[in-house]
Amino acid sequence: MATDFKSIPIIDVAPLLAKSDDPEMAQDPGVSSVVRQLDQACRESGFFYVKGHGIPDSLLKEVKELIRKFFELPYEEKLKIKMTPETGYRGYQRLGENVTKGTPDMHEAIDCYREMKPGMYGAVGQPMEGSNEWPANPSNFKQRMEEYVRLCTDLSRKILRGIALALGGSADELEGERAGDPFWVMRLIGYPGVHNANGKDMPENGIGCGAHTDYGLLTLVNQDDDIPALQVRNVSGEWIWAVPIPGTFVCNIGDMLKILSNGLYESTLHQVINNSPKYRVCVAFFYEPNFDAAIEPLDICKQRTDGTMKFERAVYGEHLVNKVLTNFG
C-alpha cells in the first residue's frame, strides 16, 4: 500500500544481477539485501531508482540522442513511419495524438511493441499484429533500439526474480505461464519545452503526460539527465519529483504486478510536466506478462492478505488491445 513517501529510494541491483540465475540465489546475503529494499520500495512508493544495472551509460545516452535527432526531422519525414491501424498501431504519433483520461498529451512519440506474427494470438492479437516502424534516419536507429530492448528485457527479468522472492515465492514464481515469454512495449517520447515568450504560465493542457498508472509488470524509464519532469503521487496527493539521476533508470511497478501481489504492492499514479524551455526526451520500456497470460493474485499473496482475492482475473493481451483501440481506434 502506498505511503506518504517524500522521496524515491535508490537500489543498487548489482548483487541481485550477479546471482540472478543461481539456484541458491535466495540464500545469498547480497541478494537478500536487495530483495528487502525492493520489498520496501514496492510497498511504500511503487517507484525506485535502479543503479548497478550493467547497461552501459553510453548506450543510455546514445538511444536518447538518436530519438532526439529523429524528433528534430521535418514533420513530413516523421510521417513516413506514421502509426496507423495497418501498422498494428506501431510508429510515430504527433503531438496531442496520445490521450490520457480524455485529455491530449503534449508529447510526440514512436510506439513499439514486441513483434507479432499473423495468427499468433488469434482474434485477440490481430489488431496488434505487425513489425515495428523504425525510421531510416538516423541509419543505426533500428539496430541500437533492438539492442536496447534486449538488454532492458534481461534486466527486467532479473529484477522480477528479486521481486518474486520479496513476495515470498520462488525466484521463478513470475515466469512460466505468467511472464516466461514476456510481451514488451517501448515508447520513445519527446516533450516540447515551454516557449515562454509572452510570460504566461503553462496552460493546463501543457501536461506532457496526464496522471496514470502503468498496466504491465515493470517499467524502466531512461530520462534526460538535466530536466526534472516526472512526478509521482503519494497517498496524501502530493506530487513528488523523480529528479533525474544520471546513469540510473527510474523503475516502477504496474497494475499486473499489483494484481499478482493481491494489493501488497502498489502501482502508483504518475505524470509528466516539462516546465523547462528545453525539449525533453525519454525512453519508457514496459516489461509485460505473456500476451495471453491470465493474471490473478498469487496464492502466496492471498495467504498474506486474509485469504481473500482482492482483484479479478485479467487477461493481459485483451486489456492491452482494448486500451490501444480506445486511444487510437
Side-chain angles (χ1 to χ4, degrees):
M1 195 61 200
T3 62
D4 248 348
F5 62 91
K6 304 294 182 190
S7 61
I8 296 166
I10 302 169
I11 302 178
D12 184 345
V13 297
L16 171 67
L17 304 190
K19 300 281 185 177
S20 61
D21 290 311
D22 184 336
E24 305 296 317
M25 66 181 285
Q27 281 72 54
D28 183 84
V31 170
S32 297
S33 173
V34 176
V35 166
R36 281 193 300 273
Q37 293 173 68
L38 288 170
D39 184 52
Q40 184 174 359
C42 291
R43 285 173 179 276
E44 293 183 357
S45 60
F47 269 76
F48 50 95
Y49 293 93
V50 174
K51 67 180 243 184
H53 49 71
I55 298 179
D57 197 40
S58 57
L59 182 60
L60 298 190
K61 288 186 165 71
E62 185 185 359
V63 294
K64 287 180 289 195
E65 280 314 305
L66 287 169
I67 294 161
R68 199 182 314 275
K69 283 178 185 167
F70 172 79
F71 287 137
E72 285 170 354
L73 293 172
Y75 183 57
E76 298 71 29
E77 186 72 21
K78 293 186 276 195
L79 284 181
K80 288 180 180 176
I81 61 161
K82 178 177 167 55
M83 173 204 286
T84 66
E86 289 69 40
T87 65
Y89 297 93
R90 302 155 191 268
Y92 173 73
Q93 52 178 263
R94 68 183 187 279
L95 204 65
E97 197 170 350
N98 195 75
V99 175
T100 302
K101 294 180 182 168
T103 303
D105 292 321
M106 291 299 102
H107 69 248
E108 56 185 333
I110 302 175
D111 281 7
C112 321
Y113 300 91
R114 183 175 163 180
E115 300 196 347
M116 210 186 274
K117 294 186 177 73
M120 198 168 170
Y121 295 110
V124 173
Q126 193 271 327
M128 308 286 301
E129 289 173 359
S131 300
N132 287 314
E133 298 285 309
W134 301 113
N137 182 17
S139 60
N140 61 338
F141 196 101
K142 176 178 188 282
Q143 184 265 326
R144 300 311 281 152
M145 293 303 159
E146 288 182 340
E147 171 70 359
Y148 184 79
V149 165
R150 186 183 67 76
L151 292 171
C152 286
T153 300
D154 191 52
L155 173 60
S156 301
R157 180 184 71 85
K158 290 172 177 175
I159 293 172
L160 265 186
R161 286 174 72 80
I163 289 175
L165 292 173
L167 286 169
S170 60
D172 62 0
E173 195 79 38
L174 300 174
E175 295 174 4
E177 62 185 20
R178 296 185 180 105
D181 184 26
F183 197 70
W184 58 262
V185 179
M186 185 167 69
R187 304 200 70 228
L188 316 175
I189 313 170
Y191 300 91
V194 181
H195 296 290
N196 206 10
N198 55 10
K200 289 182 181 173
D201 290 332
M202 192 174 190
E204 276 299 307
N205 66 351
I207 291 178
C209 186
H212 64 285
T213 59
D214 293 343
Y215 185 70
L217 292 170
L218 209 60
T219 307
L220 294 174
V221 176
N222 171 14
Q223 57 179 340
D224 268 341
D225 289 344
D226 55 346
I227 307 173
L230 177 60
Q231 298 178 321
V232 185
R233 199 170 84 170
N234 70 16
V235 79
S236 294
E238 295 173 283
W239 289 101
I240 308 301
W241 289 97
V243 176
I245 300 176
T248 68
F249 288 100
V250 177
C251 184
N252 61 282
I253 64 176
D255 297 339
M256 294 287 101
L257 194 50
K258 178 180 180 175
I259 292 171
L260 286 161
S261 76
N262 208 26
L264 288 169
Y265 291 169
E266 192 63 62
S267 52
T268 311
L269 275 172
H270 51 285
Q271 65 183 14
V272 177
I273 299 180
N274 184 12
N275 290 325
S276 162
K278 293 181 185 175
Y279 191 96
R280 175 182 182 263
V281 165
C282 166
V283 191
F285 176 83
F286 304 90
Y287 187 83
E288 313 288 89
N290 301 351
F291 189 83
D292 54 0
I295 299 298
E296 59 187 359
L298 299 169
D299 287 340
I300 48 169
C301 296
K302 285 190 285 191
Q303 289 162 18
R304 294 171 61 188
T305 47
D306 306 324
T308 56
M309 186 164 146
K310 297 184 179 179
F311 299 96
E312 293 293 314
R313 180 176 178 271
V315 177
Y316 168 73
E318 288 176 8
H319 182 92
L320 176 70
V321 169
N322 182 54
K323 190 171 151 188
V324 169
L325 295 181
T326 302
N327 202 353
F328 303 113

